[in-house]
Amino acid sequence: GNSVTQMEGPVTLSEEAFLTINCTYTATGYPSLFWYVQYPGEGLQLLLKATKADDKGSNKGFEATYRKETTSFHLEKGSVQVSDSAVYFCALSVIAGGTSYGKLTFGQGTILTVHP
Amino acid sequence: GAGVSQSPSNKVTEKGKDVELRCDPISGHTALYWYRQSLGQGLEFLIYFQGNSAPDKSGLPSDRFSAERTGGSVSTLTIQRTQQEDSAVYLCASSSGPGQGIFSTEAFFGQGTRLTVV
């Protein structure tokens, strides 16, 4: 089956610190990989995605590279801000028969708190 | 609409009662998904609709759970004889349809319905 394992946290950092949240996956088929973010009081939003090996997704200073050899998709940001405080979810969607119907398998989520 | 809309935003119900949760997807989105977010279980897939049909309902936890979608738009998730373990945030998402090849289409999420069974 498909599964996603991510660093559970919670993670607490000072502003301008470097962030890494680890994510590894197992999948049958060829997965697309995603990071979703849930800000306090808001719904889940797509942060970035990568659809094939060695692709790098990036958005808002966050990056993640699809590493097929290590089945990983770690999230990184060079300098976090207080406004990055949120819950981050790693997820995958598997393509089968040439079609991905978008069903997402999520990791457990990582709570990030950034202090000034 | 501008985004995925879910109602109610909060629902408190007594154990044993039935509840209905509603999802209004983004206009024109043919794919609709329900997920459940609970402590200890994370985010779990419940059911997927393409148009009015549900080709994947593998995540529904028991026969007390059912969902329908009418007119290719609004969807209702119904939980019968609610139990305390049904307490969770129920999330709905929609997308423009199945992706082809390597192109996965983005799913847009609503803010969820927080269900508390007392």
Side-chain angles (χ1 to χ4, degrees):
Chain A
N2 302 321
S3 67
V4 176
T5 302
Q6 67 177 98
M7 178 172 146
E8 288 192 13
V11 175
T12 303
L13 295 173
S14 297
E15 207 165 24
E16 299 183 3
F18 184 85
L19 169 71
T20 300
I21 301 177
N22 289 337
C23 172
T24 57
Y25 67 89
T26 58
T28 54
Y30 194 92
S32 293
L33 302 173
F34 306 84
W35 278 99
Y36 278 83
V37 58
Q38 190 173 33
Y39 296 105
E42 298 185 18
L44 272 172
Q45 303 172 27
L46 179 64
L47 179 60
L48 53 84
K49 69 178 183 182
T51 56
K52 62 183 189 297
D54 300 324
D55 266 3
K56 178 185 284 188
S58 61
N59 186 25
K60 299 182 180 180
F62 291 89
E63 292 183 340
T65 300
Y66 188 142
R67 300 285 188 205
K68 191 176 180 183
E69 64 276 13
T70 54
T71 62
S72 65
F73 192 55
H74 305 321
L75 182 68
E76 296 182 337
K77 186 174 186 182
S79 176
V80 294
Q81 306 300 311
V82 172
S83 57
D84 294 327
S85 298
V87 184
Y88 292 81
F89 294 90
C90 185
L92 67 81
S93 175
V94 172
I95 295 170
T99 297
S100 166
Y101 68 77
K103 171 184 174 180
L104 292 162
T105 300
F106 287 92
Q108 291 285 76
T110 300
I111 300 172
L112 171 66
T113 303
V114 181
H115 292 298
Chain B
V4 178
S5 177
Q6 292 188 246
S7 59
S9 55
N10 279 286
K11 175 73 176 178
V12 180
T13 189
E14 292 180 353
K15 179 180 171 181
K17 300 278 190 182
D18 297 352
V19 295
E20 285 190 352
L21 312 180
R22 177 188 167 105
C23 173
D24 246 302
I26 292 172
S27 177
H29 278 189
T30 60
L32 186 147
Y33 316 82
W34 284 97
Y35 293 85
R36 179 168 72 173
Q37 186 175 18
S38 54
L39 285 175
Q41 297 296 322
L43 268 158
E44 307 170 277
F45 167 81
L46 297 178
I47 188 169
Y48 157 65
F49 286 93
Q50 181 58 37
N52 290 337
S53 64
D56 187 349
K57 49 180 82 171
S58 63
L60 294 178
S62 75
D63 59 8
R64 295 187 295 105
F65 288 72
S66 63
E68 65 175 12
R69 189 178 185 195
T70 54
S73 181
V74 171
S75 177
T76 302
L77 177 69
T78 301
I79 309 173
Q80 296 179 309
R81 305 181 303 282
T82 52
Q83 304 295 313
Q84 288 186 330
E85 62 263 27
D86 300 335
S87 296
V89 177
Y90 289 82
L91 295 173
C92 178
S94 70
S95 75
S96 57
Q100 296 298 315
I102 63 172
F103 300 106
S104 279
T105 57
E106 179 181 349
F108 294 84
F109 283 80
Q111 298 223 26
T113 293
R114 181 175 297 278
L115 176 66
T116 304
V117 182
V118 297

